[in-house]
Amino acid sequence: MRVELTDRFIRGLAPPAEGRLEVWDKHTQNLVLRLTPNAVATWCVRCRTKDGKRTRPRIGSWPTMGLSEARKRARAMLVEIEAGADPVAEREAAEAERIARQGLPTVAERLAQWQAAKADRWSPTYAADVARFCAKEIAPRLGKRVLEDTQRVDWTSLVADKREQSQSSAGNLYRIASAFLGFAEAHGWVDRPLLPRKGASVLAPPVRPRERVLTDEELRSVWVGADSLPPKARAFVRLLTMTAARRTEVADIATGEVDLNAGRWSIPATRAKNRRAITLPLHPLLLAELRAVWPTHGDRAGPGWKLLGSIAGSGLRGYSKLKLRLDAASGVTDWDYHDLRRSARTGLARLGVPDQHAEAALNHISSRSALVRVYDRHPYREEAVAALSRWQAHVATLVSEQPSADVVALRVSR
């Protein structure tokens, strides 16, 4: 049926009992309104493509698209078809491509594969950091997207938005995302770099490194302030102060790592940040702290039994709340747990410990050049123990009633 379509005429159309009712517009060539028994009205164009194939591309629904707009769209589509376009075939091809791409790996799936592939090479601390950033920062924004379909702007804006909240977190996010995307490119998951190779200085400029070093008086105040804490929290603070170990290494100290008779704590490679095991001395003051929290459960406490958590057998957590209590008790503020590690390293230098031995005591390897690491295979285990023993003796003297001659000399040298 071909009529002079008007809005009034369309509103008066009665749906067919079955099949489709097609009304052709006399005013615009090839414009058709199709009406179903359910009163669904659709605009389309009926014509032939340039190669002679019949086609009926849909251009909209009435009344969402009015008559005037339908005529305008129909004329524009006819121009495209006469120029060689095939809207129906193009739409079908696009839909087929969309369906085909639904089966491609998403960002979330590739992130999981990357973490699984690296699990045996990362320290537990770094693995936990990666998992946290992936779950909280990357997955909510990009997790459901097909990795191949993401663009550089998706990743750069992710880092830029994080920088508005926290510059240091943005730097961590950039490094994690860059490592993931580099792995993805190397394994053929993407065919181009999705983050600039050297874009960190622009997208996530490094935060100025902390320089806080606690004075001897502050170290003593922190030690004494820990007296107000529960035994496990107190042991945590004092182990950090004397061993210069990393926060998570201390928090997850386990029975199987400690030899109370020999006064040694051996951190396995699986728990060390650089994947290198290290043995640390335990001063009698620390042994007393550990004995105070040592399990009394017999066979229940195996070698993996963690000593410092509020839940039996678990590691210590709740660092921020503990720090607030310690600040209030000690009167020392504007410091974090890692500053104790820096203070120990600085103190070793002041005590005259050679740099190589002091770095070994902190289980650092980055301070040694690649050439030295290749040729100098000496482990420096005993030197590290000796260096830390000297630091622990120094701290023990600080917290005693009478300072030693070494402590007095160090205070004078300041």
Side-chain angles (χ1 to χ4, degrees):
M1 179 171 59
R2 189 180 296 274
V3 299
E4 182 74 31
L5 287 178
T6 64
D7 290 331
R8 181 178 179 182
F9 176 84
I10 296 171
R11 286 194 295 270
L13 279 176
E18 58 182 19
R20 300 284 189 277
L21 173 64
E22 292 192 347
V23 183
W24 293 65
D25 184 22
K26 282 186 177 180
H27 182 76
T28 304
Q29 183 183 11
N30 301 104
L31 177 62
V32 179
L33 179 68
R34 304 180 80 227
L35 188 63
T36 70
N38 295 326
V40 176
T42 305
W43 297 108
C44 62
V45 171
R46 273 187 172 277
C47 61
R48 292 181 181 272
T49 61
K50 198 168 186 178
D51 59 3
K53 184 175 67 176
R54 292 180 182 275
T55 187
R56 191 186 63 206
R58 177 181 176 279
I59 59 175
S61 299
W62 183 89
T64 304
M65 179 182 288
L67 176 60
S68 176
E69 180 64 19
R71 285 170 170 165
K72 185 188 303 181
R73 295 279 186 92
R75 287 191 290 268
M77 183 166 287
L78 285 170
V79 171
E80 294 177 7
I81 292 172
E82 288 175 3
D86 188 345
V88 173
E90 292 168 5
R91 188 175 299 164
E92 290 174 349
E95 178 63 12
E97 173 69 12
R98 185 188 67 80
I99 293 173
R101 297 193 71 78
Q102 283 181 340
L104 295 178
T106 63
V107 171
E109 290 168 341
R110 290 303 198 191
L111 283 170
Q113 288 179 265
W114 171 57
Q115 291 175 79
K118 293 288 187 177
D120 62 344
R121 302 187 62 184
W122 290 341
S123 70
T125 301
Y126 183 69
D129 287 342
V130 169
R132 185 176 71 255
F133 273 91
C134 288
K136 293 187 176 181
E137 307 295 342
I138 301 177
R141 288 268 293 265
L142 302 175
K144 295 181 180 179
R145 297 268 303 275
V146 172
L147 176 60
E148 289 183 18
D149 292 344
T150 60
Q151 303 295 319
R152 174 171 288 190
V153 67
D154 296 319
W155 295 93
T156 55
S157 61
L158 188 71
V159 177
D161 291 347
K162 189 61 183 177
R163 187 179 62 201
E164 297 296 322
Q165 304 171 23
S166 168
Q167 191 171 347
S168 61
S169 292
N172 291 333
L173 176 58
Y174 179 92
R175 285 187 289 274
I176 289 170
S178 182
F180 163 63
L181 294 172
F183 183 89
E185 188 180 357
H187 286 75
W189 297 350
V190 294
D191 59 3
R192 63 203 181 284
L194 290 173
L195 270 179
R197 299 292 190 194
K198 297 182 179 179
S201 61
V202 175
L203 294 172
V207 179
R208 183 179 178 181
R210 289 181 60 85
E211 299 178 353
R212 179 79 159 96
V213 174
L214 278 68
T215 65
D216 286 345
E217 289 77 10
E218 287 175 325
L219 288 172
R220 174 182 167 80
S221 296
V222 169
W223 184 282
V224 173
D227 277 331
S228 65
L229 302 175
K232 292 182 178 181
R234 184 180 68 231
F236 170 72
V237 173
R238 290 178 174 175
L239 280 163
L240 280 176
T241 304
M242 275 196 166
T243 65
R246 296 178 175 88
R247 185 181 71 177
T248 306
E249 292 170 347
V250 174
D252 290 335
I253 187 172
T255 54
E257 299 172 0
V258 177
D259 186 336
L260 293 175
N261 294 324
R264 291 288 186 270
W265 171 27
S266 298
I267 303 174
T270 53
R271 290 217 307 114
K273 182 178 180 180
N274 58 14
R275 311 297 284 183
R276 291 185 58 174
I278 184 173
T279 296
L280 309 176
L282 293 173
H283 189 276
L285 290 176
L286 297 182
L287 292 172
E289 298 291 342
L290 291 173
R291 287 192 174 97
V293 298
W294 203 260
T296 57
H297 306 297
D299 294 336
R300 287 179 55 196
W305 186 274
K306 296 176 183 178
L307 293 167
L308 303 184
S310 56
I311 300 174
S314 67
L316 183 140
R317 296 298 182 265
Y319 305 114
S320 299
K321 291 182 179 179
L322 170 58
K323 178 64 165 49
L324 290 174
R325 291 182 62 182
L326 186 58
D327 284 358
S330 68
V332 182
T333 57
D334 189 31
W335 64 282
D336 62 27
Y337 293 118
H338 196 76
D339 293 338
L340 292 175
R341 186 170 162 86
R342 183 182 303 104
S343 299
R345 177 61 180 87
T346 303
L348 288 171
R350 288 165 41 221
L351 290 168
V353 174
D355 284 347
Q356 191 80 318
H357 301 176
E359 290 295 283
L362 270 67
N363 207 11
H364 279 167
I365 59 173
S366 58
S367 60
R368 305 173 71 197
S369 71
L371 187 64
V372 169
R373 290 200 297 272
V374 168
Y375 285 95
D376 183 1
R377 307 305 298 175
H378 181 60
Y380 291 93
R381 294 191 187 95
E382 295 307 316
E383 290 85 351
V385 169
L388 277 174
S389 295
R390 190 168 178 184
W391 170 249
Q392 291 177 9
H394 170 69
V395 174
T397 305
L398 286 179
V399 301
S400 67
E401 293 298 328
Q402 296 296 327
S404 68
D406 278 348
V407 173
V408 172
L410 284 171
R411 289 177 179 172
V412 171
S413 68
R414 291 177 170 180

